[in-house]
Amino acid sequence: MSEVSNSTETAVDPPERLIKMIRCVGPGLIVAGSIVGSGELIATTKAGAEAGISLLWLILLGCVIKVFTQIELGRYTLISGKTTLAALDLVPGPRVAGRGNWLVWFWIVMWVASISQLGGIVGGVGQALAISVPLTSSGRLYNAHADRQQRQVFEAATRTVLAEEADAALEASVVPKPIAAPPKSYDAVLWAAVMAIVTSVMLIVGRYGLIQSLSTALVILFTILTVLNTVWLQSDPFWGIPWSEVAAGLWPQLPEVASSDAASTARPIATALAAFGIIGVGAGELVVYPYWCLEKGYARFTGPNDGTPAWNARAAGWMRVMHLDSWGAMVLYTFATVAFYLLGVGVLHRIGLNPEKDTLVRTLSVMYQPVFGTAAAMIFLIGAFAVLYSTFFVALAAHARVFSDAMRIVGLIDNDEATREKWIRWLGGGFPILCWVIYVAFPAPAQLVLISGVTQGVMLPMLAGAALYFRYQFVSEPLRPSRLWDAMLWLSAAAMLITGIWTIVSQF
């Protein structure tokens, strides 16, 4: 898939009416479905739990600013028919003859972290299933202990907040009593193995349309439920975040580390920067998006670049479709991102809970408890399974496509369609098992997700620089964007550069 073979027979005039343009969108929605599980559900809520409302501005910036780079990378793919990695291989800089340049090789480094992130995702899927459907007696005992402990922590933390508001001297009387550690359970590992095997089979045989459609529908429903949960939470005088605080969170500022024991090891700035790398369209999604555009047919419909007025008109028309696709998806995942962040702030941060390790999913379910009460756990578990598994499934399908392309570029496989299709199936079958092995070796889903966020944050300025290179080297006069667009593209690149540098400094 390094290059699309365009022909006049496949050229299609772009739709002009909005309703017909909407029917042609899709790549952005696929990408949106793959990011809700890791960026929004895990990284964003963890950032809210650690940082409070003070970094709301950074979360919003992370959703909006990267779309300009996304569309610019898509523009070059549309006019050239090249895949992202084939395009990145054209960027000047160090290279190994016949084995790719520095950007291709850094993408491989980022891929290692990204596949580890999916290890964290399949671990989260395993946790959700282990809580709702335990496989062993030790799993049932573990759930009983963990549920009792979580309930006590939640109730004690709630009483503490009330006591602090009424009389700070009462705080010492509501400290929760310690509960003995629950027995060790491997149900999450077993369920993760089951889902990895199922995913492997589906990606090999390719019969996964129904599962993907159902998963996407559940993601949409869970996102709507999360937004409604956030709205209802805001109407509660105890749990609602004052609008003055929300407004303050929109002003650039840095957080203070909470003094509670639960948050004493938190690194809110580092967590937020890691979240910035993967919320919205992270570096991984920026690379993947043009591949989905190619499969949707945008470049093929545009036809061969012969420089004629007819070609320019078709290219401009399909660019409008790509804009609608990208910005429409941005609106959807921004609503989800802000909702998850506010839930992390309003509930987890307030009572001092930090989602991590084997309590990740159970802790996240607390965000729904003030509104849904005893039904919160089951509602959240169904939704968490949907969004986490959707991310796992779609991301692995994308990884198989991009990695097979990388193998071609570095000279490991032949450059023909049959070989690429074969490797997509093989990699699709092998990657889920690899993710499970990573989770077993390092059973800390939130940390695996954040590690990927760090590497993606470092690659963001590289991709922004590549987008600027394509914009000024390969875009002909009829397709050049406005000066305002160029200014926003430069602003996007500057924000990604600052974030990349800040990420390196904060981590190392």
Side-chain angles (χ1 to χ4, degrees):
M1 195 200 291
S2 63
E3 192 166 339
V4 173
S5 177
N6 295 330
S7 67
T8 55
E9 287 76 14
T10 58
V12 177
D13 289 334
E16 296 182 358
R17 298 180 61 182
L18 179 61
I19 187 66
K20 292 185 177 181
M21 292 174 67
I22 292 175
R23 293 174 182 170
C24 294
V25 303
L29 296 177
I30 295 175
V31 169
S34 70
I35 63 180
V36 173
S38 58
E40 276 64 15
L41 179 60
I42 297 178
T44 304
T45 51
K46 186 173 176 63
E50 293 189 6
I53 197 66
S54 59
L55 289 180
L56 176 60
W57 64 275
L58 184 64
I59 299 301
L60 282 171
L61 182 66
C63 289
V64 177
I65 200 66
K66 292 176 285 189
V67 180
F68 296 95
T69 296
Q70 172 190 350
I71 293 176
E72 204 58 46
L73 293 174
R75 187 197 308 274
Y76 179 70
T77 290
L78 186 146
I79 65 179
S80 70
K82 292 183 180 295
T83 63
T84 312
L85 291 187
L88 294 179
D89 195 38
L90 299 175
V91 175
R95 66 173 54 249
V96 179
R99 302 291 182 180
N101 69 350
W102 61 285
L103 271 175
V104 173
W105 282 100
F106 189 84
W107 175 86
I108 294 174
V109 173
M110 188 190 76
W111 173 84
V112 173
S114 297
I115 205 72
S116 299
Q117 170 188 344
L118 293 177
I121 296 298
V122 76
V125 172
Q127 286 186 18
L129 289 171
I131 294 171
S132 54
V133 188
L135 296 173
T136 65
S137 58
S138 63
R140 288 187 287 273
L141 287 173
Y142 179 89
N143 283 345
H145 279 76
D147 288 342
R148 186 163 64 252
Q149 185 176 39
Q150 177 182 289
R151 185 164 53 251
Q152 186 187 79
V153 170
F154 177 77
E155 292 173 354
T158 303
R159 292 196 304 271
T160 300
V161 173
L162 289 171
E164 288 176 344
E165 294 178 351
D167 185 353
L170 297 176
E171 182 178 350
S173 65
V174 292
V175 176
K177 298 179 180 179
I179 296 178
K184 187 67 176 178
S185 170
Y186 295 97
D187 283 32
V189 173
L190 294 174
W191 268 120
V194 171
M195 298 312 301
I197 293 171
V198 170
T199 305
S200 178
V201 172
M202 287 195 299
L203 289 176
I204 289 175
V205 301
R207 297 180 180 178
Y208 49 79
L210 177 62
I211 300 297
Q212 182 173 334
S213 299
L214 177 61
S215 180
T216 300
L218 289 174
V219 169
I220 293 174
L221 289 174
F222 183 60
T223 301
I224 294 174
L225 182 65
T226 298
V227 173
L228 292 176
N229 182 47
T230 306
V231 172
W232 290 332
L233 199 68
Q234 280 296 97
S235 65
D236 189 303
F238 176 72
W239 294 106
I241 306 172
W243 289 110
S244 59
E245 292 186 17
V246 175
L250 298 174
W251 185 259
Q253 58 185 303
L254 298 180
E256 296 180 1
V257 178
S259 59
S260 65
D261 291 338
S264 61
T265 60
R267 300 177 63 203
I269 297 178
T271 299
L273 287 173
F276 185 95
I278 53 179
I279 59 174
V281 280
E285 287 74 38
L286 288 174
V287 171
V288 167
Y289 181 71
Y291 287 85
W292 294 123
C293 288
L294 288 174
E295 294 206 8
K296 185 68 176 179
Y298 292 163
R300 185 174 69 255
F301 298 156
T302 300
N305 187 353
D306 54 14
T308 62
W311 181 88
N312 288 328
R314 284 197 304 273
W318 285 109
M319 275 301 305
R320 288 193 292 271
V321 173
M322 188 183 297
H323 274 266
L324 178 64
D325 177 73
S326 300
W327 288 111
M330 186 276 295
V331 172
L332 293 177
Y333 60 66
T334 297
F335 270 106
T337 302
V338 172
F340 280 119
Y341 187 79
L342 292 179
L343 287 177
V345 173
V347 180
L348 301 184
H349 180 74
R350 190 168 191 182
I351 63 179
L353 289 177
N354 193 359
E356 55 188 351
K357 297 184 179 181
D358 58 351
T359 63
L360 170 73
V361 171
R362 184 173 271 102
T363 300
L364 290 175
S365 69
V366 173
M367 299 185 301
Y368 296 75
Q369 193 164 327
V371 172
F372 295 103
T374 56
M378 187 54 62
I379 292 174
F380 175 78
L381 289 173
I382 295 173
F385 171 79
V387 298
L388 289 172
Y389 186 70
S390 175
T391 293
F392 185 65
F393 183 83
V394 176
L396 283 174
H399 271 301
R401 286 159 171 76
V402 184
F403 196 85
S404 63
D405 195 33
M407 294 174 67
R408 178 197 61 80
I409 291 174
V410 300
L412 294 180
I413 64 174
D414 294 334
N415 183 17
D416 63 82
E417 189 68 12
T419 300
R420 184 188 69 84
E421 291 291 341
K422 177 180 65 177
W423 275 98
I424 287 178
R425 290 195 302 273
W426 288 357
L427 294 173
F431 282 167
I433 307 303
L434 175 60
C435 293
W436 177 79
V437 171
I438 291 172
Y439 171 63
V440 172
F442 189 56
Q447 283 65 38
L448 289 171
V449 170
L450 294 179
I451 289 171
S452 175
V454 171
T455 59
Q456 293 198 48
V458 173
M459 192 169 190
L460 281 176
M462 303 179 190
L463 293 175
L468 289 170
Y469 177 74
F470 300 145
R471 158 66 185 88
Y472 290 101
Q473 291 294 319
F474 298 106
V475 179
S476 59
E477 180 63 35
L479 294 179
R480 287 179 182 171
S482 66
R483 291 183 178 179
L484 176 60
W485 177 270
D486 283 344
M488 295 306 297
L489 182 61
W490 278 99
L491 181 62
S492 174
M496 293 185 191
L497 176 61
I498 293 171
T499 302
I501 295 174
W502 197 2
T503 299
I504 295 173
V505 171
S506 67
Q507 294 294 332
F508 305 107

